[in-house]
Amino acid sequence: MKINTKCVQAGYRPGNGEPRQVPIIQSTTFKYDTSEDMGKLFDLEASGYFYTRLQNPTNDLVAAKIAELEGGTAAMLTSSGQAANFFAIFNICECGSHIVASSSIYGGTFNLIAVTLKKMGIDTTFVSPDATEEELQAAFQPNTRVMFGETIANPALTVLDIEKFARVAHKNGVPLIVDNTFPTPVNCRPIEWGADIVTHSTTKYMDGHGTALGGAIVDSGKFNWMAYADKYPGLCQPDESYHGITYAEKFGQAGAFITKCTAQLMRDLGCIQSPQHAFYLNLGLESLHVRMPRHVENAQAVAEFLAAHPKVERVTYSGLPGDKYYEIAQKYLPNGGCGVVSFEIKGGRTGAEAFMRRLKLAAIETHVADARTCCLNPATSTHRQMTDKQLVQAGIPAGLVRLSCGLEDKEDLIADLAQALA
Ligand SMILES: *Cc1c(COP(=O)(O)O)cnc(C)c1O
């Protein structure tokens, strides 16, 4: 199946007389005839459902669709994108492990890695996404267990050279995790470029309507855990909490990562997506391939309009020929990246505030990737604790506006921007 068909049909194939739409299995528990039947589930000897904190049939149908979209072997849904990145990392890291991560990542993920994981004894070296292979190599340590980056970083809009990162990760015998939230598998499939694990905040384009918080983890099934058994004891040594099974042996390369993540992390931490949210997510996925090209078309038109406007200092969008990431985007994102454009308005903080107050269609929100256009000025919202000087150092000038182009008519969007700029 082509990606367009997968968005609509993958994951769920109803049998004769079964519901056409993915059923919402709104049940915390599942019934068995004998304790023996249930015991087999607890030993991971049989596959089946026993408690929705670990697994739910609705979630699994939608996760199966996302696995097919990304070209992975297995997937799972989490309660948020934050949970997805935490689980994906914590599934193979423990106290004493080390991470090499791109410094150009979502602020929530940066805090997760730099603050919370650090408290758990997991250290990180941040690297520039533009670093050379030699510079990336220099960040590795004997205890490095994973490399991490974002295909298109939120909000910096840097584009990751996935092949370069994957090459260095694999040379060091560790997997590369790529957060593919912004382009979605419709515009980029990181596994095809060497990524081993892909994560998502499904809250963004996959849901696409600002409806349900969620996350997803996809395993490519390509990383050979057993070849690095000493580094990944959680996957390659017996798990006493399941009668001594070894995930990488029992579930193989294709299934070990997601099975362990479900059986251990979901069991113990419980950040599962609700089946109702999985249903909403699937509705979003059914039109993802139709929506993404429109988001890109609108963003491209808006970026070109802004780039030519005298009151705009600078525009960042990898679809613009002058953009720093234009060439690399042509390789990884030939059909365009996403609907998010960032631009610096002349007049700094005051200019940005005055401009945004006058917008009529674009709403001020802490959100991106919605059907409705929205925008945010980091200097007066998410980064308001920083001084103007600190903002410039962080690459977020006071006049920067992050604009997430929705699915409206591009002429209306441009007219709205034009009247507000005027
Ligand atoms: C929003 C976002 C997250 C966090 O996802 P939530 O669903 O808000 O928890 C992670 N990564 C990226 C790239 C994001 O844009």
Side-chain angles (χ1 to χ4, degrees):
M1 288 191 292
K2 300 233 187 316
I3 192 106
N4 294 345
T5 309
K6 286 181 186 173
C7 281
V8 185
Q9 296 257 0
Y12 176 53
R13 306 276 155 69
N16 188 37
E18 287 180 356
R20 186 67 191 99
Q21 181 53 286
V22 168
I24 305 167
I25 307 297
Q26 195 66 51
S27 183
T28 58
T29 40
F30 302 83
K31 175 247 172 202
Y32 290 94
D33 289 341
T34 68
S35 300
E36 202 191 330
D37 288 335
M38 216 161 90
K40 285 190 185 129
L41 297 176
F42 275 91
D43 280 352
L44 302 180
E45 283 302 327
S47 68
Y49 298 92
F50 51 98
Y51 194 48
T52 288
R53 176 167 18 89
L54 286 90
Q55 255 186 309
N56 174 281
T58 307
N59 292 29
D60 284 356
L61 293 173
V62 180
K65 175 179 279 188
I66 296 174
E68 282 201 52
L69 288 172
E70 287 287 5
T73 53
M76 64 196 281
L77 302 186
T78 56
S79 54
S80 66
Q82 285 299 110
N85 281 325
F86 173 56
F87 275 37
I89 292 169
F90 201 58
N91 204 32
I92 44 175
C93 288
E94 57 191 34
C95 184
S97 300
H98 173 255
I99 302 169
V100 176
S102 165
S103 58
S104 187
I105 52 174
Y106 175 64
T109 312
F110 183 84
N111 282 333
L112 166 68
I113 292 177
V115 181
T116 299
L117 288 179
K118 185 155 179 62
K119 283 184 198 161
M120 300 168 92
I122 300 169
D123 280 326
T124 300
T125 301
F126 288 99
V127 291
S128 162
D130 309 327
T132 63
E133 287 194 35
E134 292 67 35
E135 287 165 340
L136 294 178
Q137 179 60 44
F140 277 77
Q141 303 178 5
N143 58 338
T144 305
R145 295 290 175 267
V146 69
M147 200 175 195
F148 184 92
E150 284 176 18
T151 316
I152 302 177
N154 176 11
L157 304 180
T158 52
V159 180
L160 192 74
D161 188 340
I162 303 171
E163 279 191 319
K164 178 176 74 181
F165 269 59
R167 223 171 13 245
V168 180
H170 296 158
K171 210 168 86 190
N172 289 278
V174 309
L176 172 65
I177 299 179
V178 173
D179 181 331
N180 195 36
T181 297
F182 266 21
T184 83
V186 169
N187 284 340
C188 181
R189 289 176 295 283
I191 290 171
E192 292 175 2
W193 299 102
D196 301 285
I197 313 285
V198 171
T199 56
H200 281 279
S201 164
T202 62
T203 318
K204 311 294 166 54
Y205 289 112
M206 282 190 167
D207 171 279
H209 300 79
T211 304
L213 215 73
I217 306 171
V218 183
D219 179 18
S220 69
K222 287 184 181 163
F223 195 82
N224 186 353
W225 306 106
M226 275 306 202
Y228 305 99
D230 53 326
K231 286 190 193 176
Y232 303 105
L235 284 159
C236 303
Q237 283 175 20
D239 179 355
E240 294 313 330
S241 69
Y242 286 104
H243 290 291
I245 61 146
T246 298
Y247 295 97
E249 276 172 3
K250 189 163 174 62
F251 302 99
Q253 221 172 284
F257 187 89
I258 294 294
T259 305
K260 174 182 178 289
C261 206
T262 298
Q264 283 182 348
L265 299 188
M266 274 303 179
R267 178 195 62 190
D268 298 350
L269 301 167
C271 310
I272 197 159
Q273 192 168 125
S274 83
Q276 184 80 40
H277 279 194
F279 176 83
Y280 293 138
L281 169 56
N282 189 54
L283 286 183
L285 291 172
E286 286 182 1
S287 64
L288 186 64
H289 60 300
V290 182
R291 292 184 288 108
M292 287 311 290
R294 177 59 77 89
H295 281 293
V296 168
E297 180 189 328
N298 286 357
Q300 183 73 33
V302 161
E304 285 168 12
F305 164 77
L306 290 169
H309 200 284
K311 289 188 181 169
V312 173
E313 190 75 47
R314 186 174 61 94
V315 181
T316 302
Y317 188 68
S318 63
L320 286 181
D323 192 84
K324 186 176 172 194
Y325 295 94
Y326 178 75
E327 301 297 334
I328 189 166
Q330 293 295 305
K331 172 177 172 178
Y332 292 105
L333 306 157
N335 300 319
C338 63
V340 184
V341 176
S342 76
F343 61 100
E344 189 186 347
I345 212 163
K346 288 184 182 160
R349 194 184 303 252
T350 330
E353 260 186 333
F355 162 74
M356 284 169 62
R357 198 175 320 123
R358 283 166 177 84
L359 287 167
K360 295 189 172 114
L361 275 180
I364 300 170
E365 287 173 35
T366 312
H367 192 41
V368 287
D370 191 358
R372 289 145 295 223
T373 295
C374 55
C375 64
L376 176 139
N377 171 229
T380 49
S381 56
T382 50
H383 295 68
R384 66 179 295 131
Q385 74 284 1
M386 287 182 163
T387 63
D388 281 11
K389 197 167 160 229
Q390 286 174 324
L391 285 168
V392 170
Q393 279 167 352
I396 308 164
L400 192 84
V401 177
R402 181 185 72 185
L403 180 73
S404 169
C405 298
L407 299 173
E408 302 91 342
D409 193 292
K410 63 189 172 200
E411 288 182 20
D412 288 334
L413 292 181
I414 289 171
D416 190 31
L417 297 170
Q419 63 81 24
L421 284 164

